[in-house]
Amino acid sequence: MGATGHLGSRLVPELLAAGHDVAVLVRDSAQATRFPTRVMVHVGDATDPHAVRESLAGNELVYFLVHSLDRADFADVDRGAALVLAAAAEDAGVRQVVYVGGPRPDSTSPSPHLASRAEVGDVVAAGGVPALVLRASMVIGDGSASFELLRSSAKLSPWVPVPSWMHNTSRPVAVADVVHYLLAAADLPEPVDGTFDVPGPEQLSYLELVQRCARVLGLPVRLPVPAPVWSHKLAAQVAGLVTPTPAAVAEPLFASLDHDLAADGPPVTDVLPPPPGGVTSVDNAIRAATAPEPEKSGGEVFTEERTVLTDASPEDVWRTVTTLGGKNGWHTIPLVWTVRGAIDHLAGGIGLYRGRAPRVGEGDVVDFWTVVHRDDAARRLVLRADMKMPGHTLLDMRVDSDGGRTRYRQKITFTADGLLGQLYWWTQKPLHDLVFATMARGIVHAAAKA
């Protein structure tokens, strides 16, 4: 149930691709055309016991992904649907129920939204069928109401109001990872009965999420403005006017930001395998949820390479390379990137200090660069510059063994946009050579001190 929602609409194709037989329950018969003919479509309401029993007949596992946040009485509706589901699943001989809810805050007065999510989980868990209850905070994905609010907050204005609740934290998770766990639940050898957290890789405040979203979208740092009177209701009313999310939906979501949402329960990986390659980084989750930028045409290509030998181990040099940026800096002339970033910010670019994730991979942001390629086995890291310039710059860094020493190789590739790009390259080249030569030496020097 909930097959047309944010998670269900992604899960159904994955289940079909994995060879599972799928039945869905939808409220409107017009929605039946959204599904392939292989899907058994039942029409009815999730609070109708007859419709639910009919949809569960002959099924071994049921996903309960219903959420009625668009209704003022969502808590009552979702509680009623959960009670109907729990009874119908037991009557139908279902082996496993899977439910995705939210974290249970450490508070005696949780927000109505979080309280409802927790209550539904309790109802499902108290039924006669083993229930796998998954608790996720913000699910980052296109079409998610909470993510649409985040994206709009990052895009609509160069400043962002910051009431106290913007500093509370959670562990946002990529929708692809949640769908992975839901799909894996279909292959459990035995039913699982328990509640497990589905955390993302970082604990971030909502303000940090806004800034992270802005940097992935290629926007300047959003300027925080203290807003002690910026209530949930006021924020929701503004959101209802300038975003696709109705105010009635936005208000309970904003109210949920009153709590720190820590993933302090058993992790989902206790019972389900992790995604191939590990959990998705926040940057890549945001990037996947936003429209890709069109590829830009190329022009004349300029390259410059330099090599530095060092007695530092390859492991130490590679560790220094992969921790560049953020608080660690770039091991070059002091303040040079600060000045360049300030100029870019004034020109409407992304500036410099976008920070970095604890461990960056392909698609992640490192200050004014984006990771294009990372290969730990080959010790190669390729970054793309995101600052405004009449061309496109790649920084390719490699670490190799050279006899008993270590060779650090650094290559800059600049693809010029027409004559202006060529003039830019030759004009900035003297300073460019000094900055990047200093950086190469600084990297091996830092590695030698490690």
Side-chain angles (χ1 to χ4, degrees), residues 65-77:
L65 307 175
V66 173
H67 199 6
S68 308
L69 199 58
D70 56 340
R71 298 178 50 157
D73 59 346
F74 68 86
D76 294 334
V77 173

Side-chain angles (χ1 to χ4, degrees), residues 27 34 51 64 98 128 143 172 188 193 212 283 286-287 311 345 376:
R27 283 181 292 182
R34 298 179 53 172
F64 187 63
V98 180
L188 283 168
D193 197 18
R212 188 70 66 87
D283 286 356
I286 294 173
R287 184 168 290 104
D311 292 326
H345 192 95
D376 290 285

Side-chain angles (χ1 to χ4, degrees), residues 360-381:
V360 295
E362 294 180 6
D364 288 333
V365 167
V366 182
D367 291 339
F368 60 94
W369 304 86
T370 294
V371 179
V372 176
H373 177 71
R374 174 172 176 165
D375 187 336
D376 290 285
R379 298 194 188 100
R380 183 186 180 199
L381 183 69

